[in-house]
Amino acid sequence: MASVTIKLSKPLITHEGDLHSLEITEPRGLDYLRLGEPVTYGQNPDGAVFVVENEDVIQRYVEVCVPITVNSIILDQIGLEDAMKIKAAVLDFFRAARDRQSETSSTSSSSTSA
């Protein structure tokens, strides 16, 4: 399972000592099936596509993707800058999965049309 390490701008104080970074793990398939999409796509009347972040769903993904030992303290101690990094890391897992899915779809489409 993929993961990314976030360097914190301000350490988190834990019983085991200060944490200077957090490992964020990729959500599992069951997490996705249980929690759903972290973003919703829409389209303006002029055809422009826009994205709306589903904040409650993103928060639940953060709770799933951040190590359980940190979850109990993270909301109390985490600063805005670090919260934004964590949120971006979680959303990046979804972007990467969509990119891979698009690549696979376009590859199989071009091979079936040949």
Side-chain angles (χ1 to χ4, degrees):
M1 182 173 295
S3 67
V4 65
T5 301
I6 302 293
K7 185 176 181 339
L8 299 172
S9 61
K10 178 183 170 194
L12 296 175
I13 301 165
T14 71
H15 296 325
E16 292 87 31
D18 292 355
L19 278 178
H20 295 273
S21 62
L22 284 179
E23 182 178 12
I24 313 296
T25 59
E26 182 178 32
R28 297 169 301 173
L30 184 58
D31 299 326
Y32 176 74
L33 295 173
R34 190 170 36 95
L35 299 176
E37 285 288 339
V39 297
T40 302
Y41 296 93
Q43 191 169 15
N44 289 335
D46 65 356
V49 175
F50 62 91
V51 177
V52 177
E53 294 179 347
N54 301 321
E55 299 299 337
D56 291 340
V57 175
I58 293 169
Q59 180 180 344
R60 286 181 280 184
Y61 275 113
V62 168
E63 292 167 356
V64 166
C65 297
V66 172
I68 195 70
T69 54
V70 176
N71 268 333
S72 61
I73 61 167
I74 195 167
L75 295 177
D76 290 338
Q77 291 190 40
I78 202 82
L80 178 59
E81 180 182 348
D82 293 330
M84 292 170 76
K85 289 179 190 177
I86 293 167
K87 178 180 174 181
V90 169
L91 291 175
D92 282 346
F93 288 124
F94 288 90
R95 285 186 200 103
R98 283 189 193 90
D99 289 346
R100 288 189 302 271
Q101 190 177 40
S102 293
E103 289 170 10
T104 303
S105 296
S106 65
T107 303
S108 49
S109 294
S110 61
S111 64
T112 57
S113 62

